[in-house]
Amino acid sequence: MPLFRSLRVTYLSHPVLLLFFSLAFSLRAQNIVLDHATGSSPLPNGIEIQAGDAREQITALRDDVLRVRIAPHGQMPEDASWAVSAENRHSSVAVTQATSAGSIGFRTRSLSVEIDPKTLRVTVRDVAGNIVQQDAQPIHYDGTAFRVFKIGR
């Protein structure tokens, strides 16, 4: 049985930054919206966010490439990806954690990752502060399908 039954990404405009999503989940039939953080933990190469039982990991594979993994039921499965080769999947760069009153996240030499803990919307900026990728809505799961909404720049 395939890991993904459907993937629907809705763009309000075209994306500028390509994020590699490796979304992992069990086949429980539930509607889940990842819409607020219940905790977070810094990682040497990124951050892990908890939203109830769900976990989201955002890591820097390079200064200009991010990987997002989500486990809506809490347990990350095998570290595999159709979008990222094994060689690249295991690469990483050190990051600087960046937390403010309204966001949690980190910086690389090229990108700034900001997560709003109240909505779990992710914003990625370049070194000049320009938004290159931004979530329009939280991630939605409907059974085994999921939806990601992005605002392109």
Side-chain angles (χ1 to χ4, degrees):
M1 174 174 260
L3 181 61
F4 299 108
R5 287 200 177 163
S6 73
L7 168 63
R8 207 177 316 164
V9 178
T10 303
Y11 290 98
L12 300 181
S13 178
H14 66 280
V16 175
L17 175 71
L18 174 63
L19 293 180
F20 294 110
F21 285 89
S22 174
L23 298 168
F25 51 89
S26 68
L27 298 178
R28 296 182 214 172
Q30 291 183 14
N31 292 330
I32 299 171
V33 178
L34 303 181
D35 61 359
H36 69 280
T38 57
S40 66
S41 305
L43 301 171
N45 62 338
I47 192 165
E48 180 171 297
I49 293 133
Q50 294 82 38
D53 291 337
R55 291 175 34 210
E56 178 176 10
Q57 290 179 348
I58 304 173
T59 55
L61 302 180
R62 298 187 330 209
D63 284 318
D64 61 345
V65 177
L66 303 172
R67 183 177 187 208
V68 178
R69 298 179 73 211
I70 300 173
H73 302 292
Q75 184 170 349
M76 295 284 181
E78 172 190 5
D79 185 10
S81 174
W82 295 325
V84 183
S85 70
E87 177 184 332
N88 290 327
R89 199 169 54 247
H90 298 292
S91 66
S92 68
V93 296
V95 302
T96 302
Q97 296 300 316
T99 301
S100 70
S103 70
I104 51 179
F106 62 90
R107 289 187 316 269
T108 70
R109 285 183 261 174
S110 301
L111 300 172
S112 172
V113 177
E114 304 162 1
I115 302 111
D116 181 338
K118 294 178 184 172
T119 64
L120 283 187
R121 293 181 186 174
V122 177
T123 300
V124 179
R125 298 178 189 271
D126 64 16
V127 291
N130 300 308
I131 295 174
V132 294
Q133 188 279 148
Q134 186 173 38
D135 289 346
Q137 296 180 33
I139 296 171
H140 295 253
Y141 282 87
D142 182 14
T144 60
F146 61 91
R147 262 187 117 164
V148 179
F149 302 86
K150 301 292 178 182
I151 299 172
R153 299 286 177 219

